[in-house]
Amino acid sequence: MIPARPAPFTSATWLSAVRQHLFADWNTGLASVVLLLLLGYAGTHLLDWGMLRAQWMPDVAACRADGVGACWGVVAEKYRVILLGRYPLEEQWRPVVASSLLLALLLVSCLRSFWRPWLAVLWLLGLPIYFGLMKGHLWGLSLGLTAVDTDRWGGLPLTLLLSSVSIALALPLAVLVALGRRSELPAIRALCSVYVELVRGVPLISVLFMASFMLPLFLPQGLTIDVLLRVLVGITLFAAAYMAEVVRGGLQAVPRGQVEAAASLGLSWWQTQRHVVLPQALTAVLPGLVNNFIAIFKDTSLVTIVSLYELTGALGLALNSDADWRPFKLEGYVFIALIYFLFCFSISRYSLWVERQLALGNPS
Amino acid sequence: MNEPIIQFDLLNKWFGQHLHVLRDIKLDVKRGERIVVCGPSGSGKSTLIRCINALEGFQSGRLFVDGDELRSDAAGPDLKVIDQIRQKVGMVFQQFNLFPHLSVLDNLMLAPIKVAGMAPQAAHELAMAQLERVRIAEQAHKFPLQLSGGQQQRVAIARALCLKPKIMLFDEPTSALDPEMITEVLDVMTELASAGMTMMCVTHEMGFAKTVADRVVFMDQGQIIEHNTPQEFFGHPQTERSQDFLSKILRH
């Protein structure tokens, strides 16, 4: 019997790692040097423009002086319009409080230990507060606040509202459509296929356009649906079609034997889907779904074309009409890009964490 | 008591238009009887036992399971009868088919809670008792993929037993196992047989067939060619095809 021995010791100082990975031979070394030079060149220029020669004060004259780099003062000057859009200035505490509430609810919902019945109660309480604050009235009841119509909502709160609501509604719809496409009933299968193919074959912009301008033409006179609601429905239906295909991929990855085992135990079709197939399918396609979530988050910027000013639209709103500050739109875009990145990166880190949690229970 | 618990009456099944996989099957299984089904691959053995819990339909003939009749495909499925029968018939698969996202315990408790409507506490006790029975209770909180093949198959047997079935179907239960794990599964099946369970088992374990089976059913090309006691079947196979089959599997 040969006793077990440890693997040979490998010393890995960072210097040896650099030599091994970047300068292993002449070709690798040359490539490394060229790339490092390029990186250094771009980096120093970025640093020079964005930090060393930047103007931080909201002072137009200083920003326009020769040799000045980035003008971050534009953010300090315009951040209220960029972040909150056309919401009336003196009422802007309301979207801030409401959105903080929404974010807190979303955060809490992301943690498994909060997945209890009272989380639903929290949402049922939170949503009326949210809409009450934003609108200023609720179900026709005045709350003693100035009424603000949905077409004046804007900026980051609108981005958050559009993306979180449409993701939350699109996922269950996508699951139903994906199940429908695999149904044994031809009518349901056809209906779901037509829906997916139709929606996927059309750009989101045209869906939003139709939801916003065409739909009212078909409604009876006098009946109007809030533009925000129409746009929400449009984004949800659009997102659900894409997600449905991702979910369908997951359904197909679950082996037939799983369904047979569930059937042999007497589980009904719905019980089989709910307890056996979907948990495995959704786990398998989580990265793909999160991909869609992130895409939706950024696609909400398209609602600008129907005159709703979410984060991207609000930037245009803030700068286009102001000849003094208009030249510094680039800095504004960098600012909102950072905000978008912050949210998207958080979503993707969260999904990695969920993947690890799922893997802990199920090492394979 | 002597009335058969499973009754195939001239049952026929096709896959598509031309693949005639079960041909004029006539077979009565008595209560408590233990039947081993064998035959070359593609002979319809698995399809035969999968008809009993309606995992497969059939096109003509009749099939009775514990007094209920399963309708042929032409008449459409009678979901109520299928539900009843599936609660009375347990099944063990070649690939185990445990639910990988659920712990061993949850695999066992799912059907008692969701199908039989048991309280979680009662289902828990029942599940633990069945795990004791297959001697794997200490693994209750692990996940299926953390277990060896033999252990997984024993969990699968325990899961099927949780609904207190009257009939157990085994579809090549040891074919996917490493040789050293086959015995532990066969031991559990032998114990089940001596407890009086009605069993139909598709297997090539001839040792198991000899010691446990009351009858061996030999199939080829969708037909039952021969059925006999194990002594007779292995000692004096009646047909050329069964002789040929036995000579091939017993040569080594």
Side-chain angles (χ1 to χ4, degrees):
Chain A
M1 189 85 167
I2 301 170
R5 291 190 299 265
F9 180 72
T10 50
S11 68
T13 64
W14 74 268
L15 200 67
S16 72
V18 164
R19 191 177 299 146
Q20 197 186 342
H21 295 296
L22 298 184
F23 301 99
D25 56 48
W26 276 104
N27 282 339
T28 330
L30 196 64
S32 299
V33 168
V34 169
L35 284 174
L36 284 172
L37 282 177
L38 275 175
L39 215 62
Y41 178 79
T44 45
H45 274 256
L46 196 65
L47 196 70
D48 184 47
W49 175 79
M51 302 284 281
L52 302 178
R53 292 192 292 121
Q55 173 61 37
W56 301 86
M57 291 297 135
D59 178 349
V60 181
C63 279
R64 293 191 168 211
D66 277 343
V68 172
C71 173
W72 299 119
V74 69
V75 175
E77 174 75 17
K78 296 288 187 186
Y79 76 95
R80 288 187 100 169
V81 188
I82 297 175
L83 289 177
L84 297 166
R86 297 204 299 148
Y87 209 89
L89 207 61
E90 60 280 10
E91 302 290 336
Q92 285 186 345
W93 62 273
R94 282 158 51 184
V96 172
V97 173
S99 298
S100 308
L101 177 76
L102 183 67
L103 271 180
L105 279 172
L106 286 172
L107 270 177
V108 166
S109 309
C110 283
L111 298 172
R112 207 190 180 119
S113 44
F114 292 98
W115 292 355
R116 298 281 143 79
W118 52 259
L119 187 62
V121 179
L122 227 55
W123 274 101
L124 285 177
L125 287 174
L127 284 178
I129 297 177
Y130 176 86
F131 284 104
L133 267 173
M134 290 295 283
K135 286 203 289 194
H137 56 83
L138 199 59
W139 300 304
L141 268 117
S142 172
L143 298 175
L145 299 166
T146 321
V148 179
D149 285 337
T150 49
D151 59 343
R152 301 209 59 178
W153 299 10
L156 187 56
L158 186 60
T159 299
L160 291 176
L161 176 70
L162 286 173
S163 45
S164 57
V165 172
S166 51
I167 288 170
L169 295 179
L171 185 57
L173 182 61
V175 168
L176 287 179
V177 171
L179 289 173
R181 283 199 82 171
R182 286 164 54 87
S183 165
E184 284 173 10
L185 308 171
I188 291 182
R189 207 167 52 229
L191 190 74
C192 294
S193 299
V194 166
Y195 163 67
V196 168
E197 296 305 340
L198 217 59
V199 173
R200 278 203 307 180
V202 178
L204 178 56
I205 287 204
S206 60
V207 173
L208 293 176
F209 230 78
M210 285 191 272
S212 175
F213 299 117
M214 242 170 78
L215 195 66
L217 299 179
F218 301 124
L219 291 175
Q221 286 267 299
L223 179 69
T224 54
I225 302 176
D226 189 290
V227 64
L228 181 65
L229 192 63
R230 276 178 284 163
V231 161
L232 260 179
V233 170
I235 298 179
T236 302
L237 292 179
F238 186 81
Y242 281 84
M243 286 194 216
E245 285 299 277
V246 176
V247 174
R248 192 166 68 92
L251 294 176
Q252 273 166 356
V254 177
R256 229 169 76 99
Q258 293 287 307
V259 177
E260 287 179 352
S264 78
L265 290 169
L267 269 74
S268 70
W269 187 86
W270 281 108
Q271 286 174 329
T272 304
Q273 304 304 321
R274 159 80 183 79
H275 298 288
V276 176
V277 177
L278 281 174
Q280 298 182 56
L282 293 179
T283 307
V285 298
L286 191 69
L289 281 176
V290 171
N291 214 11
N292 275 345
F293 294 171
I294 289 176
I296 296 166
F297 184 75
K298 291 178 298 176
D299 280 352
T300 55
S301 55
L302 291 172
V303 299
T304 309
I305 65 132
V306 295
S307 305
L308 288 174
Y309 297 97
E310 47 56 70
L311 194 52
T312 310
L315 177 71
L317 201 66
L319 298 185
N320 285 348
S321 56
D322 190 333
D324 284 345
W325 290 105
R326 198 160 43 202
F328 308 110
K329 220 171 175 178
L330 175 62
E331 287 83 341
Y333 271 114
V334 172
F335 174 59
I336 63 166
L338 273 177
I339 297 177
Y340 277 113
F341 178 77
L342 204 71
F343 278 95
C344 295
F345 190 64
S346 311
I347 297 174
S348 96
R349 296 314 294 187
Y350 172 67
S351 91
L352 283 179
W353 179 79
V354 172
E355 274 176 54
R356 268 201 306 278
Q357 294 295 305
L358 291 167
L360 280 184
N362 189 9
S364 50
Chain B
M1 276 308 275
N2 282 330
E3 160 203 347
I5 190 167
I6 304 171
Q7 200 175 3
F8 287 91
D9 190 7
L10 291 176
L11 184 130
N12 280 279
K13 176 177 177 62
W14 287 262
F15 282 132
Q17 275 294 306
H18 302 293
L19 199 57
H20 196 175
V21 284
L22 292 177
R23 306 180 190 179
D24 291 344
I25 298 294
K26 211 165 162 35
L27 177 69
D28 289 355
V29 180
K30 291 196 284 287
R31 248 168 243 278
E33 200 175 15
R34 298 171 301 257
I35 292 192
V36 161
V37 185
C38 63
S41 89
S43 59
K45 321 178 286 285
S46 291
T47 310
L48 178 81
I49 67 165
R50 285 159 60 91
C51 283
I52 296 168
N53 64 351
L55 286 185
E56 301 283 355
F58 53 93
Q59 279 74 41
S60 77
R62 306 184 77 182
L63 173 55
F64 297 88
V65 180
D66 197 32
D68 291 318
E69 178 167 9
L70 277 162
R71 290 208 297 240
S72 72
D73 283 352
D78 185 340
L79 294 179
K80 222 171 129 188
V81 170
I82 290 177
D83 278 351
Q84 277 174 13
I85 286 176
R86 282 179 176 165
Q87 290 194 45
K88 288 189 278 196
V89 180
M91 184 156 194
V92 176
F93 300 85
Q94 182 178 357
Q95 300 295 340
F96 329 135
N97 293 351
L98 293 174
F99 306 134
H101 61 296
L102 299 177
S103 71
V104 165
L105 199 56
D106 288 335
N107 262 278
L108 268 70
M109 288 165 63
L110 184 62
I113 292 176
K114 298 296 169 189
V115 178
M118 283 176 81
Q121 188 55 41
H124 185 271
E125 281 164 24
L126 172 71
M128 286 312 291
Q130 298 305 332
L131 286 176
E132 297 278 357
R133 189 168 173 180
V134 300
R135 293 183 294 276
I136 204 162
E138 74 280 1
Q139 313 279 12
H141 294 284
K142 287 201 179 160
F143 282 81
L145 296 179
Q146 293 172 307
L147 306 181
S148 73
Q151 290 172 322
Q152 288 190 55
Q153 195 59 299
R154 283 187 283 148
V155 170
I157 295 173
R159 180 174 73 176
L161 289 173
C162 271
L163 286 173
K164 302 274 161 71
K166 294 182 175 178
I167 301 165
M168 282 288 283
L169 307 174
F170 294 86
D171 189 0
E172 305 205 25
T174 56
S175 300
L177 294 177
D178 289 337
E180 55 184 325
M181 293 168 183
I182 291 177
T183 322
E184 66 187 58
V185 172
L186 290 181
D187 284 349
V188 166
M189 291 168 61
T190 308
E191 281 171 32
L192 206 56
S194 44
M197 177 69 76
T198 308
M199 290 166 70
M200 271 189 93
C201 183
V202 175
T203 185
H204 295 129
E205 295 296 331
M206 291 305 135
F208 175 78
K210 278 178 193 158
T211 51
V212 173
D214 297 311
R215 248 193 310 164
V216 176
V217 170
F218 176 71
M219 290 182 74
D220 189 24
Q221 294 181 341
Q223 301 158 65
I224 295 180
I225 305 284
E226 191 173 335
H227 52 94
N228 219 327
T229 61
Q231 290 78 15
E232 282 298 307
F233 179 74
F234 291 113
H236 313 285
Q238 300 294 305
T239 63
E240 209 176 300
R241 265 179 286 182
S242 53
Q243 286 158 9
D244 184 46
F245 176 75
L246 285 175
S247 76
K248 275 177 186 151
I249 65 166
L250 296 178
R251 190 173 294 158
H252 296 290

Short mmCIF file of all heavy atoms in Angstrom, two decimals, chain B residues 21-27 36-40 42-45 48 215-228 233 236-246:
data_model
loop_
_atom_site.label_atom_id
_atom_site.label_comp_id
_atom_site.label_asym_id
_atom_site.label_seq_id
_atom_site.Cartn_x
_atom_site.Cartn_y
_atom_site.Cartn_z
N VAL B 21 -44.84 -2.75 -31.04
CA VAL B 21 -43.93 -3.08 -29.93
C VAL B 21 -44.53 -4.08 -28.93
O VAL B 21 -43.79 -4.77 -28.25
CB VAL B 21 -43.48 -1.82 -29.16
CG1 VAL B 21 -42.43 -1.09 -29.96
CG2 VAL B 21 -44.64 -0.92 -28.85
N LEU B 22 -45.85 -4.14 -28.83
CA LEU B 22 -46.47 -5.17 -27.98
C LEU B 22 -47.53 -5.87 -28.82
O LEU B 22 -48.40 -5.22 -29.40
CB LEU B 22 -47.10 -4.55 -26.73
CG LEU B 22 -46.15 -3.93 -25.70
CD1 LEU B 22 -46.93 -3.30 -24.55
CD2 LEU B 22 -45.17 -4.97 -25.16
N ARG B 23 -47.44 -7.20 -28.88
CA ARG B 23 -48.32 -7.93 -29.80
C ARG B 23 -49.14 -8.97 -29.04
O ARG B 23 -48.58 -9.92 -28.48
CB ARG B 23 -47.48 -8.63 -30.87
CG ARG B 23 -46.56 -7.66 -31.59
CD ARG B 23 -45.73 -8.34 -32.64
NE ARG B 23 -44.70 -7.42 -33.13
CZ ARG B 23 -43.80 -7.73 -34.04
NH1 ARG B 23 -43.78 -8.94 -34.57
NH2 ARG B 23 -42.90 -6.85 -34.43
N ASP B 24 -50.45 -8.76 -29.01
CA ASP B 24 -51.37 -9.72 -28.40
C ASP B 24 -50.90 -10.20 -27.03
O ASP B 24 -50.83 -11.40 -26.78
CB ASP B 24 -51.58 -10.92 -29.33
CG ASP B 24 -52.35 -10.52 -30.58
OD1 ASP B 24 -52.97 -9.42 -30.56
OD2 ASP B 24 -52.33 -11.28 -31.56
N ILE B 25 -50.57 -9.26 -26.16
CA ILE B 25 -50.06 -9.64 -24.84
C ILE B 25 -51.21 -10.19 -24.00
O ILE B 25 -52.24 -9.54 -23.82
CB ILE B 25 -49.44 -8.42 -24.12
CG1 ILE B 25 -48.25 -7.87 -24.89
CG2 ILE B 25 -49.05 -8.79 -22.69
CD1 ILE B 25 -47.07 -8.78 -24.96
N LYS B 26 -51.02 -11.38 -23.47
CA LYS B 26 -52.01 -11.99 -22.57
C LYS B 26 -51.24 -12.46 -21.35
O LYS B 26 -50.35 -13.30 -21.44
CB LYS B 26 -52.68 -13.16 -23.28
CG LYS B 26 -54.11 -13.36 -22.82
CD LYS B 26 -54.89 -14.26 -23.73
CE LYS B 26 -56.13 -14.80 -23.03
NZ LYS B 26 -56.77 -13.88 -22.09
N LEU B 27 -51.54 -11.83 -20.19
CA LEU B 27 -50.77 -12.17 -19.00
C LEU B 27 -51.59 -11.84 -17.76
O LEU B 27 -52.14 -10.75 -17.66
CB LEU B 27 -49.46 -11.37 -18.98
CG LEU B 27 -48.55 -11.55 -17.76
CD1 LEU B 27 -47.94 -12.94 -17.75
CD2 LEU B 27 -47.43 -10.50 -17.77
N VAL B 36 -40.48 -12.03 -13.09
CA VAL B 36 -39.33 -11.43 -13.73
C VAL B 36 -39.55 -11.47 -15.23
O VAL B 36 -39.93 -12.51 -15.78
CB VAL B 36 -38.03 -12.18 -13.34
CG1 VAL B 36 -36.92 -11.88 -14.34
CG2 VAL B 36 -37.59 -11.78 -11.94
N VAL B 37 -39.38 -10.31 -15.87
CA VAL B 37 -39.52 -10.23 -17.32
C VAL B 37 -38.14 -10.12 -17.92
O VAL B 37 -37.35 -9.27 -17.51
CB VAL B 37 -40.35 -9.00 -17.74
CG1 VAL B 37 -40.61 -8.99 -19.23
CG2 VAL B 37 -41.66 -8.96 -16.96
N CYS B 38 -37.80 -11.01 -18.85
CA CYS B 38 -36.50 -10.89 -19.49
C CYS B 38 -36.65 -11.07 -21.00
O CYS B 38 -37.73 -11.41 -21.50
CB CYS B 38 -35.50 -11.87 -18.90
SG CYS B 38 -35.96 -13.58 -19.14
N GLY B 39 -35.57 -10.83 -21.69
CA GLY B 39 -35.61 -10.92 -23.14
C GLY B 39 -34.58 -9.99 -23.73
O GLY B 39 -34.06 -9.12 -23.02
N PRO B 40 -34.29 -10.14 -25.01
CA PRO B 40 -33.29 -9.27 -25.64
C PRO B 40 -33.74 -7.81 -25.65
O PRO B 40 -34.93 -7.53 -25.47
CB PRO B 40 -33.18 -9.82 -27.06
CG PRO B 40 -34.40 -10.62 -27.28
CD PRO B 40 -34.84 -11.12 -25.95
N GLY B 42 -35.01 -4.29 -26.79
CA GLY B 42 -35.96 -3.97 -27.84
C GLY B 42 -37.11 -4.95 -27.94
O GLY B 42 -37.90 -4.89 -28.88
N SER B 43 -37.21 -5.86 -26.98
CA SER B 43 -38.26 -6.88 -27.08
C SER B 43 -39.58 -6.39 -26.51
O SER B 43 -40.60 -7.06 -26.61
CB SER B 43 -37.82 -8.15 -26.37
OG SER B 43 -37.56 -7.88 -25.01
N GLY B 44 -39.60 -5.21 -25.86
CA GLY B 44 -40.85 -4.67 -25.33
C GLY B 44 -41.04 -4.89 -23.85
O GLY B 44 -42.12 -4.58 -23.33
N LYS B 45 -40.01 -5.35 -23.14
CA LYS B 45 -40.16 -5.63 -21.70
C LYS B 45 -40.51 -4.37 -20.92
O LYS B 45 -41.47 -4.35 -20.15
CB LYS B 45 -38.83 -6.17 -21.09
CG LYS B 45 -38.06 -7.12 -21.94
CD LYS B 45 -36.76 -7.53 -21.26
CE LYS B 45 -35.69 -6.46 -21.25
NZ LYS B 45 -35.03 -6.26 -22.55
N LEU B 48 -43.90 -3.00 -21.69
CA LEU B 48 -44.95 -3.82 -21.07
C LEU B 48 -45.25 -3.32 -19.65
O LEU B 48 -46.40 -3.06 -19.31
CB LEU B 48 -44.50 -5.29 -21.03
CG LEU B 48 -45.48 -6.25 -20.36
CD1 LEU B 48 -46.59 -6.62 -21.33
CD2 LEU B 48 -44.78 -7.50 -19.84
N ARG B 215 -42.41 -16.69 -11.38
CA ARG B 215 -42.53 -16.97 -12.80
C ARG B 215 -41.57 -16.11 -13.58
O ARG B 215 -41.32 -14.96 -13.21
CB ARG B 215 -43.95 -16.66 -13.27
CG ARG B 215 -44.72 -17.90 -13.67
CD ARG B 215 -45.96 -17.56 -14.41
NE ARG B 215 -46.81 -16.58 -13.78
CZ ARG B 215 -47.77 -15.95 -14.46
NH1 ARG B 215 -47.98 -16.21 -15.73
NH2 ARG B 215 -48.54 -15.08 -13.84
N VAL B 216 -41.03 -16.62 -14.65
CA VAL B 216 -40.21 -15.83 -15.56
C VAL B 216 -40.98 -15.69 -16.86
O VAL B 216 -41.50 -16.67 -17.39
CB VAL B 216 -38.85 -16.50 -15.81
CG1 VAL B 216 -38.05 -15.70 -16.84
CG2 VAL B 216 -38.06 -16.64 -14.53
N VAL B 217 -41.09 -14.44 -17.32
CA VAL B 217 -41.75 -14.19 -18.60
C VAL B 217 -40.67 -13.83 -19.60
O VAL B 217 -39.87 -12.92 -19.37
CB VAL B 217 -42.76 -13.03 -18.48
CG1 VAL B 217 -43.25 -12.61 -19.85
CG2 VAL B 217 -43.92 -13.43 -17.59
N PHE B 218 -40.61 -14.57 -20.70
CA PHE B 218 -39.59 -14.29 -21.71
C PHE B 218 -40.24 -13.64 -22.92
O PHE B 218 -41.21 -14.16 -23.47
CB PHE B 218 -38.88 -15.59 -22.12
CG PHE B 218 -37.89 -15.39 -23.23
CD1 PHE B 218 -36.69 -14.72 -23.00
CD2 PHE B 218 -38.16 -15.84 -24.53
CE1 PHE B 218 -35.78 -14.52 -24.03
CE2 PHE B 218 -37.24 -15.63 -25.55
CZ PHE B 218 -36.06 -14.97 -25.30
N MET B 219 -39.70 -12.46 -23.29
CA MET B 219 -40.28 -11.73 -24.43
C MET B 219 -39.29 -11.61 -25.57
O MET B 219 -38.08 -11.53 -25.36
CB MET B 219 -40.71 -10.32 -24.01
CG MET B 219 -41.91 -10.29 -23.09
SD MET B 219 -42.36 -8.59 -22.71
CE MET B 219 -43.12 -8.09 -24.27
N ASP B 220 -39.82 -11.58 -26.78
CA ASP B 220 -38.99 -11.28 -27.95
C ASP B 220 -39.88 -10.64 -29.00
O ASP B 220 -41.01 -11.09 -29.21
CB ASP B 220 -38.35 -12.57 -28.48
CG ASP B 220 -37.30 -12.26 -29.54
OD1 ASP B 220 -36.76 -11.13 -29.54
OD2 ASP B 220 -37.03 -13.14 -30.37
N GLN B 221 -39.41 -9.59 -29.62
CA GLN B 221 -40.13 -8.88 -30.68
C GLN B 221 -41.58 -8.58 -30.30
O GLN B 221 -42.50 -8.81 -31.09
CB GLN B 221 -40.08 -9.71 -31.96
CG GLN B 221 -38.66 -9.79 -32.47
CD GLN B 221 -38.57 -10.58 -33.77
OE1 GLN B 221 -39.47 -11.34 -34.10
NE2 GLN B 221 -37.48 -10.40 -34.47
N GLY B 222 -41.76 -8.07 -29.09
CA GLY B 222 -43.08 -7.61 -28.68
C GLY B 222 -44.03 -8.71 -28.27
O GLY B 222 -45.19 -8.45 -27.97
N GLN B 223 -43.57 -9.95 -28.24
CA GLN B 223 -44.47 -11.04 -27.85
C GLN B 223 -43.96 -11.74 -26.60
O GLN B 223 -42.76 -11.79 -26.35
CB GLN B 223 -44.55 -12.08 -28.97
CG GLN B 223 -45.07 -11.52 -30.26
CD GLN B 223 -44.64 -12.39 -31.42
OE1 GLN B 223 -45.04 -13.54 -31.54
NE2 GLN B 223 -43.81 -11.83 -32.28
N ILE B 224 -44.89 -12.30 -25.84
CA ILE B 224 -44.48 -13.19 -24.75
C ILE B 224 -44.29 -14.57 -25.38
O ILE B 224 -45.24 -15.20 -25.86
CB ILE B 224 -45.54 -13.23 -23.64
CG1 ILE B 224 -45.64 -11.85 -22.99
CG2 ILE B 224 -45.18 -14.28 -22.61
CD1 ILE B 224 -46.65 -11.76 -21.88
N ILE B 225 -43.04 -15.01 -25.41
CA ILE B 225 -42.72 -16.27 -26.08
C ILE B 225 -42.96 -17.44 -25.14
O ILE B 225 -43.41 -18.50 -25.53
CB ILE B 225 -41.23 -16.28 -26.52
CG1 ILE B 225 -40.93 -15.06 -27.39
CG2 ILE B 225 -40.87 -17.57 -27.21
CD1 ILE B 225 -41.43 -15.15 -28.79
N GLU B 226 -42.64 -17.18 -23.84
CA GLU B 226 -42.64 -18.30 -22.92
C GLU B 226 -42.83 -17.77 -21.52
O GLU B 226 -42.29 -16.73 -21.18
CB GLU B 226 -41.27 -19.01 -23.03
CG GLU B 226 -41.21 -20.34 -22.35
CD GLU B 226 -39.88 -21.05 -22.65
OE1 GLU B 226 -39.27 -20.76 -23.70
OE2 GLU B 226 -39.47 -21.88 -21.83
N HIS B 227 -43.67 -18.41 -20.69
CA HIS B 227 -43.56 -18.11 -19.27
C HIS B 227 -43.67 -19.38 -18.45
O HIS B 227 -44.47 -20.27 -18.74
CB HIS B 227 -44.53 -17.02 -18.79
CG HIS B 227 -45.95 -17.22 -19.13
ND1 HIS B 227 -46.84 -17.83 -18.29
CD2 HIS B 227 -46.65 -16.85 -20.23
CE1 HIS B 227 -48.04 -17.83 -18.87
NE2 HIS B 227 -47.95 -17.26 -20.04
N ASN B 228 -42.80 -19.41 -17.44
CA ASN B 228 -42.64 -20.66 -16.72
C ASN B 228 -42.01 -20.37 -15.37
O ASN B 228 -41.57 -19.26 -15.10
CB ASN B 228 -41.72 -21.59 -17.53
CG ASN B 228 -42.22 -23.02 -17.45
OD1 ASN B 228 -42.77 -23.43 -16.42
ND2 ASN B 228 -42.01 -23.76 -18.53
N PHE B 233 -37.79 -22.70 -16.58
CA PHE B 233 -37.30 -21.81 -17.63
C PHE B 233 -35.78 -21.92 -17.80
O PHE B 233 -35.29 -22.02 -18.92
CB PHE B 233 -37.69 -20.35 -17.33
CG PHE B 233 -37.19 -19.38 -18.36
CD1 PHE B 233 -37.80 -19.30 -19.60
CD2 PHE B 233 -36.09 -18.55 -18.10
CE1 PHE B 233 -37.34 -18.42 -20.56
CE2 PHE B 233 -35.63 -17.67 -19.07
CZ PHE B 233 -36.26 -17.62 -20.29
N HIS B 236 -35.08 -26.06 -18.51
CA HIS B 236 -35.55 -26.62 -19.77
C HIS B 236 -36.28 -25.57 -20.58
O HIS B 236 -37.50 -25.62 -20.72
CB HIS B 236 -36.51 -27.80 -19.51
CG HIS B 236 -35.98 -28.75 -18.48
ND1 HIS B 236 -34.97 -29.65 -18.76
CD2 HIS B 236 -36.31 -28.93 -17.18
CE1 HIS B 236 -34.71 -30.34 -17.66
NE2 HIS B 236 -35.49 -29.92 -16.68
N PRO B 237 -35.55 -24.58 -21.10
CA PRO B 237 -36.24 -23.59 -21.93
C PRO B 237 -36.92 -24.27 -23.12
O PRO B 237 -36.34 -25.17 -23.73
CB PRO B 237 -35.11 -22.66 -22.38
CG PRO B 237 -33.84 -23.40 -22.13
CD PRO B 237 -34.10 -24.37 -21.03
N GLN B 238 -38.18 -23.86 -23.39
CA GLN B 238 -39.00 -24.59 -24.34
C GLN B 238 -38.76 -24.17 -25.79
O GLN B 238 -38.94 -24.98 -26.69
CB GLN B 238 -40.48 -24.36 -24.02
CG GLN B 238 -40.87 -24.81 -22.63
CD GLN B 238 -40.76 -26.32 -22.49
OE1 GLN B 238 -41.34 -27.07 -23.27
NE2 GLN B 238 -39.99 -26.78 -21.51
N THR B 239 -38.39 -22.91 -26.01
CA THR B 239 -38.30 -22.47 -27.40
C THR B 239 -36.86 -22.24 -27.81
O THR B 239 -35.98 -22.04 -26.96
CB THR B 239 -39.05 -21.14 -27.61
OG1 THR B 239 -38.41 -20.15 -26.81
CG2 THR B 239 -40.51 -21.27 -27.23
N GLU B 240 -36.66 -22.24 -29.09
CA GLU B 240 -35.32 -22.03 -29.63
C GLU B 240 -34.78 -20.65 -29.21
O GLU B 240 -33.63 -20.51 -28.84
CB GLU B 240 -35.39 -22.10 -31.16
CG GLU B 240 -34.12 -22.59 -31.82
CD GLU B 240 -34.34 -22.72 -33.32
OE1 GLU B 240 -35.22 -23.51 -33.72
OE2 GLU B 240 -33.65 -22.01 -34.06
N ARG B 241 -35.70 -19.65 -29.26
CA ARG B 241 -35.25 -18.29 -28.96
C ARG B 241 -34.84 -18.13 -27.50
O ARG B 241 -33.87 -17.45 -27.18
CB ARG B 241 -36.32 -17.28 -29.34
CG ARG B 241 -36.08 -16.72 -30.73
CD ARG B 241 -37.12 -15.75 -31.15
NE ARG B 241 -38.38 -16.42 -31.48
CZ ARG B 241 -39.45 -15.78 -31.91
NH1 ARG B 241 -39.43 -14.49 -32.07
NH2 ARG B 241 -40.54 -16.45 -32.20
N SER B 242 -35.60 -18.75 -26.58
CA SER B 242 -35.20 -18.63 -25.18
C SER B 242 -33.91 -19.40 -24.92
O SER B 242 -33.07 -18.97 -24.14
CB SER B 242 -36.33 -19.08 -24.26
OG SER B 242 -36.78 -20.36 -24.61
N GLN B 243 -33.75 -20.53 -25.59
CA GLN B 243 -32.49 -21.28 -25.44
C GLN B 243 -31.32 -20.44 -25.91
O GLN B 243 -30.29 -20.34 -25.25
CB GLN B 243 -32.55 -22.59 -26.26
CG GLN B 243 -33.45 -23.64 -25.63
CD GLN B 243 -33.92 -24.67 -26.65
OE1 GLN B 243 -33.45 -24.70 -27.79
NE2 GLN B 243 -34.88 -25.51 -26.24
N ASP B 244 -31.51 -19.81 -27.07
CA ASP B 244 -30.47 -18.97 -27.65
C ASP B 244 -30.14 -17.81 -26.71
O ASP B 244 -28.97 -17.53 -26.41
CB ASP B 244 -30.98 -18.43 -29.00
CG ASP B 244 -29.91 -17.61 -29.69
OD1 ASP B 244 -28.76 -18.08 -29.74
OD2 ASP B 244 -30.23 -16.49 -30.15
N PHE B 245 -31.21 -17.15 -26.18
CA PHE B 245 -31.03 -16.01 -25.26
C PHE B 245 -30.27 -16.44 -24.02
O PHE B 245 -29.29 -15.81 -23.62
CB PHE B 245 -32.41 -15.46 -24.87
CG PHE B 245 -32.37 -14.35 -23.86
CD1 PHE B 245 -31.97 -13.08 -24.21
CD2 PHE B 245 -32.73 -14.60 -22.54
CE1 PHE B 245 -31.94 -12.06 -23.27
CE2 PHE B 245 -32.69 -13.58 -21.59
CZ PHE B 245 -32.29 -12.32 -21.96
N LEU B 246 -30.69 -17.56 -23.42
CA LEU B 246 -30.04 -18.02 -22.19
C LEU B 246 -28.59 -18.41 -22.45
O LEU B 246 -27.71 -18.12 -21.65
CB LEU B 246 -30.82 -19.21 -21.60
CG LEU B 246 -32.13 -18.82 -20.92
CD1 LEU B 246 -32.89 -20.05 -20.48
CD2 LEU B 246 -31.84 -17.91 -19.72
#
